Amino acid sequence: MLWVKKHTRENAYQHHSDESLIQLYQQTGKEIYVAELFQRYVDKVYVIARKYLKDREASKDLVMVVFEKVLKNLHKQRWNPLGIGYIPLLEMNVHITIDRQIVERKN
């Protein structure tokens, strides 16, 4: 559907919960777990970015920025299953990043 090629073969991690993938990443540092999260949420984050930016390439760039930011910060944050879920976290990061880009363009 989108610009990111989806894996068609069976993925060993696709049946893990988001929480489980995050915990595995935090324990091992292996990015394969974050890659699974990326595959799950890239379309949703792209749609949000596209809604605000109205530009295909800028939206793709923003998606990568958001996931890089999540990857950078995920290893040092504790996962709280009773706290904010992964999708709202990504949405919040998209909105914050978009707001910052808009401010930077105006200046």
Side-chain angles (χ1 to χ4, degrees):
M1 174 182 152
L2 290 176
W3 49 278
V4 176
K5 184 177 180 181
K6 298 283 184 176
H7 297 289
T8 54
R9 67 181 176 84
E10 183 73 15
N11 184 331
Y13 306 109
Q14 72 183 28
H15 301 293
H16 283 64
S17 67
D18 292 353
E19 296 88 353
S20 173
L21 291 168
I22 291 168
Q23 288 173 348
L24 286 167
Y25 172 71
Q26 289 174 333
Q27 292 168 358
T28 66
K30 294 182 180 178
E31 293 180 4
I32 187 72
Y33 303 117
V34 178
E36 174 62 29
L37 292 169
F38 178 85
Q39 288 296 320
R40 291 179 186 182
Y41 296 109
V42 66
D43 291 346
K44 183 172 181 58
V45 175
Y46 176 79
V47 167
I48 294 167
R50 187 68 196 260
K51 175 183 170 185
Y52 285 93
L53 297 179
K54 311 270 191 262
D55 178 86
R56 187 171 297 182
E57 292 305 313
S59 298
K60 290 178 191 179
D61 291 343
L62 182 58
V63 168
M64 296 312 296
V65 167
V66 167
F67 277 98
E68 287 171 3
K69 181 177 180 181
V70 169
L71 180 61
K72 179 180 175 186
N73 293 314
L74 195 56
H75 72 279
K76 60 185 174 184
Q77 295 175 352
R78 281 201 79 155
W79 174 254
N80 179 0
L82 300 175
I84 190 167
Y86 199 73
I87 294 175
L89 174 66
L90 287 176
E91 289 180 24
M92 182 175 63
N93 276 315
V94 168
H95 291 293
I96 290 168
T97 305
I98 289 170
D99 291 342
R100 286 181 184 157
Q101 284 185 348
I102 291 170
V103 169
E104 288 173 5
R105 286 181 189 169
K106 289 180 180 179
N107 293 332

